[in-house]
Amino acid sequence: MALKSRLGTGVFQFDDNEIKLLPSLDRLKNLSEATGEEALDYMANCGHPMRLTELFFHLQTGSAYTREEIYAAFFGKLGNFEDEEFNAALMTLFSQMAGKDLAEAIKPATDTQKK
């Protein structure tokens, strides 16, 4: 019997540009080797355009874009990071890759301690 894959392909679409990312074991290993950081730690702290470019470069699937092409298409206009639509697209991408429902992914932590 074949194993069922739990990997989620994320799709990032913005300004008529699209890229698909797949966090496969080989791609995560390549990201770790290229950055010198554990891949999941890198993903959790990649809010900077250069870090996102590197992440997208190593996790892309179905394409062979260069770092320069990825940066120019998605992250070169720094004002995009203030755009609500842009940030929502990033959240959707990470939710898709993590296999989480978007509402669950952005749900704020609750304080369970009694006062």
Side-chain angles (χ1 to χ4, degrees):
M1 178 188 339
L3 296 176
K4 182 177 179 179
S5 177
R6 300 281 188 231
L7 297 177
T9 300
V11 179
F12 185 71
Q13 295 176 312
F14 193 73
D15 279 350
D16 299 326
N17 291 312
E18 178 181 293
I19 188 169
K20 293 179 182 177
L21 306 183
L22 179 65
S24 68
L25 187 59
D26 285 341
R27 287 180 175 91
L28 292 173
K29 181 180 174 189
N30 290 339
L31 176 65
S32 290
E33 289 173 357
T35 63
E37 294 181 46
E38 197 59 42
L40 297 179
D41 292 337
Y42 189 91
M43 289 175 69
N45 297 298
C46 65
H48 187 275
M50 296 305 294
R51 290 177 68 89
L52 282 165
T53 298
E54 193 69 17
L55 175 76
F56 277 41
F57 176 75
H58 286 286
L59 298 189
Q60 66 181 311
T61 185
S63 59
Y65 299 125
T66 65
R67 287 172 180 88
E68 183 62 36
E69 289 171 323
I70 291 169
Y71 179 80
F74 300 112
F75 309 120
K77 186 177 177 185
L78 297 179
N80 283 346
F81 287 90
E82 297 172 7
D83 184 300
E84 196 173 307
E85 214 175 294
F86 180 84
N87 288 307
L90 277 176
M91 283 295 290
T92 298
L93 168 75
F94 283 102
S95 294
Q96 290 169 339
M97 288 192 302
K100 290 185 175 184
D101 179 282
L102 182 59
E104 240 348 89
I106 61 175
K107 185 177 170 182
T110 56
D111 185 6
T112 58
Q113 290 183 337
K114 293 183 179 180
K115 293 184 180 182

